Amino acid sequence: MIRLHAGPSHSCRSMRHARLLALSATIAALGGSPSVLAAGFQVNEHSASGLGRAFSGDAAIADNAAVLARNPAAMALFDRMQLSGSLSVIDPSIDVSTVDFPAPESYNNIAPAAVVPAAFFIQPLDDQFAWGIGIFSNYGFSTDYPTDAFFGSLAGKTELLTVNINPSVSWRISPQFSVGAGVSLVYADAELNRHFGGLGLPLNIPASQTLLNLKGDTWEWGWNIGALWELDDDNRFGLSYRSQVDLDFDGEFTDYSTQIVSGSSPATPITVDGSLSVPLPAIAEFGGFHQLNNRWAVHYGIQWTQWSEFKELKATSADCAGNTCFIKEESYDDNVRYSVGATYNLNPDWIVRAGFAFDEQAGEPTLSIPDTDRYWYSAGATYTYNSDLTLDIGLTYLYGKSSTFTEEGFTFNSENHAWLGAAQLNYRF
């Protein structure tokens, strides 16, 4: 259920203008935990081993059960049951400042730290078939400005959590070629809070007074497929595709103006039923892995995300004028993430790895989602406790290019970087 309450406008902007600003922020809430760490509002943190190599080659490596999140066909490489559980900690530093806003403002650390858990299980059934299930996230976002921030409806608290429950099967068609497929049950929970900020000054309304609030959750379905080609024991390639998932929220819209719902006014707001749809874009990934000798391996990957499907955010109702309660056009393009890395077998107990990735900017930056090009510098290791139990750790420094952007006629600067750390246990039965 979603509830959206829009407050009255200030004297310098129309209510419709304020609604459009609020809608711009809503896009982040419905698309995204720490999306400032990947293009748009994407989340890549599925495993500690993957983090240690900047997720290069993850569609083909299959060194633990977390590969299920990247390519279900790679389950064919397992000859024993395996359980993997990881915990990723993300500590972002995102600072936003105004350039020509009426009151110069600077806000530091607008994205709170986050913890991203994931768990995976894979079981071979025979020489040809295997099944598995994963619980992880592909999309998420969180930014939080002070309640007295001057931005008003442009920025406040914006947050989305998504959880993907993904059972999958694989089939080894031949010694060299395997395929896999799965279904995804996606849960999404969104929250959006906005306060009057500078909008309330002409009306003697406290800056911290709520301007609008949105909360909602939903369950939706998706699917994924994959293929794995083993050229030989030391060289393999993986290809996977994860479908778009459309989040369809049914909820309520409350009009405090006199322009959207007939008969409404600030003194007598009217609440009507409405609907809102937001796509979680499709993802395609290719990865390669090459064991060069008994010590060294190299791996690489390319990930494509169909952000161009994110064209608008539109709330509709038969009770709203023209059946449209609010709408905002979006400017997103498909993006590509490139990654490369290497793994070194130090001794029977330790494996070390490193990687680098370049993640293209997907959308025009906003206060809620200050999107930009990002560079990943990663390192990690695996400790083998015994033949059944291993521990993975990974660490990444993520550098985001500085950006200057314009929103609703005002110019802003954004600086962002982050530290990501993860630990993971893998147990073979």
Side-chain angles (χ1 to χ4, degrees), residues 29-59:
L30 295 177
S33 193
S35 92
V36 293
L37 306 180
F41 44 80
Q42 195 168 12
V43 175
N44 279 302
E45 289 71 34
H46 302 141
S47 70
S49 56
L51 182 67
R53 54 179 171 254
F55 302 104
S56 58
D58 266 23

Side-chain angles (χ1 to χ4, degrees), residues 47-390:
S47 70
S49 56
L51 182 67
R53 54 179 171 254
F55 302 104
S56 58
D58 266 23
I61 294 180
D63 50 356
N64 55 66
V67 71
L68 192 152
R70 320 297 288 212
N71 184 2
M75 293 191 297
L77 296 172
F78 290 75
D79 57 8
R80 293 171 59 184
M81 288 190 299
Q82 186 168 133
L83 177 67
S84 296
S86 69
L87 201 64
S88 300
V89 178
I90 303 170
D91 184 19
S93 177
I94 302 177
D95 304 330
V96 173
S97 59
T98 64
V99 174
D100 56 358
F101 216 64
E105 299 286 349
S106 180
Y107 298 96
N108 298 328
N109 297 320
I110 64 165
V115 176
V116 181
F120 306 90
F121 173 77
I122 292 176
Q123 180 184 19
L125 300 177
D126 54 33
D127 292 339
Q128 284 189 297
F129 295 96
W131 81 279
I133 186 169
I135 304 174
F136 54 97
S137 176
N138 283 318
Y139 292 97
F141 186 81
S142 181
T143 53
D144 193 2
Y145 291 83
T147 58
D148 60 352
F150 197 86
F151 298 141
S153 57
L154 279 174
K157 181 179 180 180
T158 312
E159 185 175 65
L160 175 80
L161 165 71
T162 67
V163 179
N164 187 346
I165 303 172
N166 188 190
S168 304
V169 296
S170 69
W171 175 29
R172 181 177 287 279
I173 299 175
S174 72
Q176 290 183 303
F177 190 71
S178 304
V179 295
V183 295
S184 293
L185 178 59
V186 178
Y187 171 75
D189 182 270
E191 180 177 358
L192 172 69
N193 282 297
R194 291 294 180 268
H195 304 274
F196 270 89
L199 303 180
L201 295 179
L203 304 175
N204 292 320
I205 296 176
S208 59
Q209 172 65 42
T210 300
L211 174 67
L212 58 90
N213 173 263
L214 179 149
K215 288 185 178 180
D217 61 357
T218 187
W219 291 87
E220 304 294 346
W221 290 94
W223 53 271
N224 63 304
I225 56 175
L228 183 73
W229 179 37
E230 299 170 69
L231 184 62
D232 53 38
D233 290 341
D234 296 325
N235 301 276
R236 55 184 177 267
F237 306 92
L239 180 65
S240 64
Y241 178 84
R242 187 170 293 279
S243 75
Q244 176 175 311
V245 175
D246 294 316
L247 302 180
D248 294 317
F249 296 91
D250 291 324
E252 298 175 345
F253 175 78
T254 302
D255 181 23
Y256 285 82
S257 73
T258 60
Q259 304 173 13
I260 305 174
V261 179
S262 177
S264 67
S265 70
T268 57
I270 295 177
T271 299
V272 299
D273 292 331
S275 61
L276 182 69
S277 298
V278 177
L280 302 182
I283 303 170
E285 184 169 2
F286 170 79
F289 172 82
H290 307 282
Q291 188 72 48
L292 304 180
N293 52 48
N294 63 350
R295 294 274 187 169
W296 284 98
V298 295
H299 27 83
Y300 47 86
I302 300 176
Q303 184 186 78
W304 166 87
T305 306
Q306 196 176 14
W307 286 108
S308 58
E309 289 297 303
F310 204 2
K311 297 177 180 178
E312 66 177 12
L313 190 65
K314 185 177 182 180
T316 60
S317 172
D319 296 304
C320 290
N323 294 328
T324 300
C325 301
F326 52 77
I327 184 171
K328 182 173 187 301
E329 305 296 330
E330 291 302 324
S331 180
Y332 273 71
D333 297 317
D334 297 347
N335 95 302
V336 180
R337 183 183 189 276
Y338 306 91
S339 57
V340 63
T343 296
Y344 181 70
N345 292 306
L346 189 63
N347 55 48
D349 294 331
W350 286 95
I351 298 171
V352 294
R353 57 181 63 91
F356 170 79
F358 170 64
D359 198 3
E360 291 180 338
Q361 177 178 324
E364 293 296 326
T366 65
L367 286 170
S368 294
I369 304 183
D371 201 10
T372 186
D373 292 337
R374 295 167 178 84
Y375 303 85
W376 297 58
Y377 303 90
S378 303
T382 296
Y383 173 68
T384 301
Y385 181 76
N386 57 40
S387 60
D388 298 326
L389 180 64
T390 60

